[in-house]
Amino acid sequence: MTHTLIYPHTAVHNAAGHLEIGGCDVVELARAFGTPLFIYDEQTVRDQCRAYHSAFRARTDLYEIVYASKAFSCRAMAELVAEEDLSLDVATGGELAAARAAAFPAERIYFHGNNKSVAEIESGLDTGIGQFVVDSFEEVERLEAAAAARGQRQKVLVRVTPGVRPTTHDFVQTGQQDSKFGFGLADGCAAEAVRRLRHAAHLELVGIHAHIGSQIFELDSYRREVEILFVALDDWRRQTGFECCIFNIGGGLGIRYTEADKPSSIAEFAAMSVEAVHEGAARHGMTTPKLFVEPGRSIAGKAAVTAYTVGTVKVIPGVRTYVAVDGGMSDNLRPMLYDSRYEAMLASKAEAPPTEVVTVAGKHCESGDVLVRDVHIAPPEPGDILVTPATGAYGYAMANNYNAQPRPAVVMVAKGRARVIIERETWDDVLRLQRSLVQ
Ligand SMILES: Cc1ncc(COP(=O)(O)O)c(C=O)c1O
């Protein structure tokens, strides 16, 4: 096995010369469940959750690991992270519904979103979730009104954009001043939000939240984020008496998609964030708040591969070989959205030397529907099972029905057993909501 860094932890080459994950032969999984198929390794998800817990527990008792379910939201995943003692961040009513279906402990669900509808707010209040992360002045009013109507007092965090730009793709930066998320520090909106929240009779401001972006490799940006936020907290304490109990620094820790990627480790992230929050509190004479982190990608990303069947192999002499598979931008939008790089291998020829340089293309009607460029794989033939690793985060979560393509099935594998956790859509499913003009 040459690609251990980017494949699930249980990935091996088996006696049949196939890729095996969670004790299941990937070629047999493809045969049994069809392709494209997301294969999640339960062990890797658990390992990542435990790596977060042990890295933080070694440094502080005052922490909470919150799985950002947008990375991969479904009932089974919510059940799994609950078993591993993580909390849950939901960003929509749909993600909240998945959490409820999993009977996720309500007080450990935290609700994000820059435009929560009244229905979503009411659903959160009815569920009895732990915190709303308040993102706009409209939300302050809507949430206060809905909580008042129920005679409830709701805990909230205020989401702040600290003006920090990490080095990552523009579309996954969220902490800069010009952002659709949260209240700006520089323009005084965050201070005003704190003032209003402190006056809202049915809201209890318990802390602060910021998320500066995603797929972040350098930890310095987080340090700046924490320093800037403590300066603001100091001001707000003096102006309004607000004592911050919860300091949520968001998610964003990057992962390896290719062998060349060099992300920071979970342990480094824990060391930096715990130290920064302790130092910040000490510098400003505050009690150290409880540290929340919200990883999504670094919990789910490495846990899954996507298996495809090779359909056509188009050789353009002297130019390029396109290996077309039966999925594409409908199950992995990231290469198109962010120009993201992936690796690939033939699960059906796991032991064969990767002598060919090919480009893996999807089946959609877009020239840009390319999953992996210039990757070394064994000589491909129609019928081969090709996998792309590290597709567990923002893969299925962003899956869509472009070209009326049904969304793939998702299986969770462990100890030689595969369980379907999301059924494959059918053409009938795709048609289900359509109505004729003749009615
Ligand atoms: C508010 C918030 N928290 C956490 C995350 C998770 O980020 P990541 O998957 O990069 O860890 C995101 C991702 O967009 C987010 O918007």
Side-chain angles (χ1 to χ4, degrees):
M1 184 81 206
T2 50
H3 302 294
T4 45
L5 288 176
I6 48 176
Y7 278 79
H9 297 165
T10 62
V12 290
H13 297 171
N14 66 16
H18 295 167
L19 178 64
E20 181 178 299
I21 298 173
C24 298
D25 183 311
V26 168
V27 177
E28 281 173 21
L29 291 175
R31 205 170 291 138
F33 299 103
T35 55
L37 180 68
F38 280 88
I39 303 168
Y40 276 80
D41 179 37
E42 183 178 326
Q43 189 58 52
T44 305
V45 176
R46 291 193 190 277
D47 287 348
Q48 296 305 95
C49 295
R50 291 171 194 178
Y52 265 99
H53 267 309
S54 65
F56 280 83
R57 201 184 302 116
R59 294 168 172 89
T60 180
D61 294 332
L62 277 178
Y63 76 95
E64 208 167 300
I65 312 296
V66 185
Y67 171 57
S69 71
K70 67 206 73 182
F72 175 51
S73 161
C74 67
R75 273 172 83 156
M77 191 67 179
E79 287 163 0
L80 192 51
V81 301
E83 277 179 26
E84 292 298 328
D85 231 2
L86 267 56
S87 304
L88 201 71
D89 137 9
V90 298
T92 63
E95 289 178 359
L96 176 59
R100 285 172 65 141
F104 201 93
E107 66 286 358
R108 291 201 283 120
I109 300 176
Y110 309 126
F111 205 152
H112 281 276
N114 68 312
N115 186 22
K116 301 176 189 78
S117 68
V118 171
E120 286 176 320
I121 287 172
E122 289 177 342
S123 173
L125 289 170
D126 293 343
T127 307
I129 65 163
Q131 297 153 17
F132 280 81
V133 183
V134 174
D135 207 288
S136 67
F137 291 119
E138 284 85 354
E139 187 181 341
V140 178
E141 282 173 28
R142 286 176 198 148
L143 187 53
E144 167 65 15
R150 284 167 171 68
Q152 268 174 250
R153 190 141 191 269
Q154 176 62 51
K155 288 194 168 69
V156 301
L157 302 186
V158 61
R159 177 156 181 178
V160 173
T161 41
V164 174
R165 261 184 185 275
T167 17
T168 185
H169 194 287
D170 273 1
F171 291 179
V172 288
Q173 290 180 347
T174 50
Q176 73 277 15
Q177 190 65 19
D178 180 2
S179 165
K180 72 168 188 168
F181 295 106
F183 297 97
L185 268 188
D187 55 17
C189 285
E192 175 59 17
V194 168
R195 202 187 57 75
R196 291 195 201 175
L197 287 167
R198 296 273 296 160
H199 283 97
H202 297 86
L203 304 181
E204 181 188 354
L205 179 61
V206 292
I208 188 170
H209 176 282
H211 170 78
I212 54 175
S214 205
Q215 187 57 357
I216 296 170
F217 282 16
E218 292 164 17
L219 301 179
D220 270 3
S221 316
Y222 288 105
R223 210 177 268 286
R224 266 186 296 135
E225 169 195 349
V226 173
E227 281 169 13
I228 290 168
L229 292 178
F230 267 106
V231 172
L233 286 174
D234 203 350
D235 287 346
W236 300 339
R237 184 178 50 167
R238 272 183 277 107
Q239 289 157 10
T240 71
F242 167 47
E243 298 282 352
C244 177
C245 302
I246 293 169
F247 197 114
N248 187 329
I249 67 165
L253 180 63
I255 65 163
R256 253 188 206 93
Y257 285 95
T258 69
E259 297 284 330
D261 288 336
K262 301 251 173 323
S264 299
S265 67
I266 291 172
E268 287 165 337
F269 178 62
M272 174 283 306
S273 51
V274 171
E275 187 185 292
V277 169
H278 271 94
E279 277 177 14
R283 192 174 313 119
H284 294 275
M286 294 177 189
T287 311
T288 306
K290 187 171 185 182
L291 171 61
F292 279 33
V293 291
E294 271 173 357
R297 192 187 307 273
S298 49
I299 297 284
K302 190 187 185 185
V305 304
T306 312
Y308 303 95
T309 302
V310 172
T312 57
V313 179
K314 175 180 176 178
V315 181
I316 309 175
V319 178
R320 182 182 297 282
T321 297
Y322 282 101
V323 175
V325 295
D326 51 357
M329 59 185 287
S330 53
D331 58 74
N332 189 357
L333 209 45
R334 295 190 64 259
M336 267 215 142
L337 270 185
Y338 312 128
D339 202 19
S340 306
R341 306 283 152 188
Y342 284 85
E343 308 243 357
M345 71 174 285
L346 293 183
S348 45
K349 294 174 179 160
E351 295 283 300
T355 51
E356 312 294 308
V357 178
V358 305
T359 287
V360 181
K363 63 176 289 169
H364 293 281
C365 299
E366 294 279 340
S367 300
D369 176 31
V370 163
L371 290 169
V372 194
R373 259 175 222 288
D374 301 330
V375 63
H376 285 83
I377 62 171
E381 293 162 286
D384 272 330
I385 302 301
L386 180 144
V387 302
T388 50
T391 56
Y394 308 106
Y396 191 89
M398 290 191 187
N400 59 79
N401 292 124
Y402 180 47
N403 292 140
Q405 166 89 341
R407 283 180 298 172
V410 183
V411 293
M412 181 82 75
V413 293
K415 301 190 175 96
R417 179 173 172 220
R419 284 171 290 176
V420 175
I421 57 168
I422 303 181
E423 296 282 350
R424 178 178 304 285
E425 280 181 342
T426 62
W427 289 335
D428 280 345
D429 289 325
V430 175
L431 272 175
R432 192 166 51 88
L433 303 177
Q434 299 185 18
R435 299 290 175 267
S436 166
L437 271 181
V438 185
Q439 37 180 279

